Amino acid sequence: MSGLLSNFRNTIIVSFVLALVIVIGYGHSPQGHGLVYFQAIYRWLHVLFGILWIGLLYYFNFVQIRVMPQIPAELKPAVSKYIAPEALFWFRWAALATWVMGVILAYSRGYILEAFTLGLAGGYTPGADMGFTFIGTGMWLATVMFFNVWVFIWPNQKIALGLVEADADAKAKAAKTAMLFSRTNTLLSIPMLATMAMNQTLFG
């Protein structure tokens, strides 16, 4: 067991194999292999990628950004050259995967238009369309966050980390810009998660 857990790749492979067994098992539920079954798979993937994305967002903001000023200068390259680029790889691709799976889920469940128009598509009915307003708000917040990752955070982090050639002033400016948009995403993430978690319980 120690040999398995010591190897990250093998750990993840076994975890996905176990998950696949469960996914196949759910195929024997009363829903069979119909649309609802695939919606359940889409939701699982959406949540899985979302945990990876938001988990790394919180790592950056709760830990790395706050602690970096305290790290001695000679030790900072260990973070900027090795840890941060690796974390940003999973961070940006998890953001993309989360957003794509969320759109696929909303489309498959037939409410993507209502959600993106905040319940206004076809006229607004108070109470009846409230769920679309809330989930739509969450989807728009997540879309802004996804946009921030790919348009502002990652391009500026490439400069700040020296992955793109730039002078010291440009690196400092890029680092501040990336930090501000990362902090913006942190601000948006908590209300976004409130809509995602509460909407499923209250509106299904």
Side-chain angles (χ1 to χ4, degrees):
M1 192 66 175
S2 173
L4 167 66
L5 297 176
S6 297
N7 186 297
F8 173 74
R9 183 189 63 182
N10 290 344
T11 300
I12 296 302
I13 289 173
V14 172
S15 183
F16 268 98
V17 168
L18 292 174
L20 186 59
V21 171
I22 292 172
V23 169
I24 292 171
Y26 271 114
H28 299 285
S29 73
Q31 300 292 343
H33 291 90
L35 179 59
V36 174
Y37 172 74
F38 287 100
Q39 289 172 351
I41 294 175
Y42 303 151
R43 186 180 302 282
W44 164 57
L45 292 173
H46 179 54
V47 171
L48 174 64
F49 294 133
I51 289 172
L52 181 57
W53 175 20
I54 301 303
L56 285 168
L57 173 68
Y58 288 170
Y59 157 73
F60 286 127
N61 284 273
F62 280 73
V63 181
Q64 184 172 304
I65 294 174
R66 290 178 56 250
V67 175
M68 277 296 282
Q70 305 168 32
I71 299 176
E74 67 272 15
L75 299 179
K76 287 184 178 181
V79 176
S80 60
K81 291 181 181 295
Y82 298 98
I83 295 175
E86 183 73 11
L88 285 164
F89 172 84
W90 294 104
F91 173 72
R92 67 182 184 272
W93 290 109
L96 174 62
T98 303
W99 188 85
V100 168
M101 291 311 307
V103 169
I104 291 173
L105 178 61
Y107 177 80
S108 70
R109 297 201 65 190
Y111 62 74
I112 190 166
L113 180 61
E114 289 84 354
F116 273 121
T117 60
L118 304 179
L120 297 175
Y124 189 84
T125 304
D129 291 323
M130 184 184 297
F132 296 133
T133 302
F134 280 117
I135 195 63
T137 299
M139 289 171 66
W140 274 113
L141 290 174
T143 299
V144 170
M145 291 169 63
F146 161 68
F147 184 83
N148 285 346
V149 168
W150 281 92
V151 177
F152 297 108
I153 297 174
W154 172 233
N156 280 285
Q157 282 286 15
K158 285 193 291 186
I159 297 171
L161 296 173
L163 302 176
V164 172
E165 195 67 31
D167 59 32
D169 289 340
K171 286 182 179 181
K173 181 180 179 182
K176 183 173 183 179
T177 300
M179 182 277 290
L180 290 173
F181 277 97
S182 182
R183 197 56 56 79
T184 298
N185 276 10
T186 301
L187 184 153
L188 298 178
S189 69
I190 296 174
M192 180 274 292
L193 289 170
T195 66
M196 297 294 176
M198 295 185 70
N199 211 79
Q200 176 61 22
T201 302
L202 297 174
F203 295 99

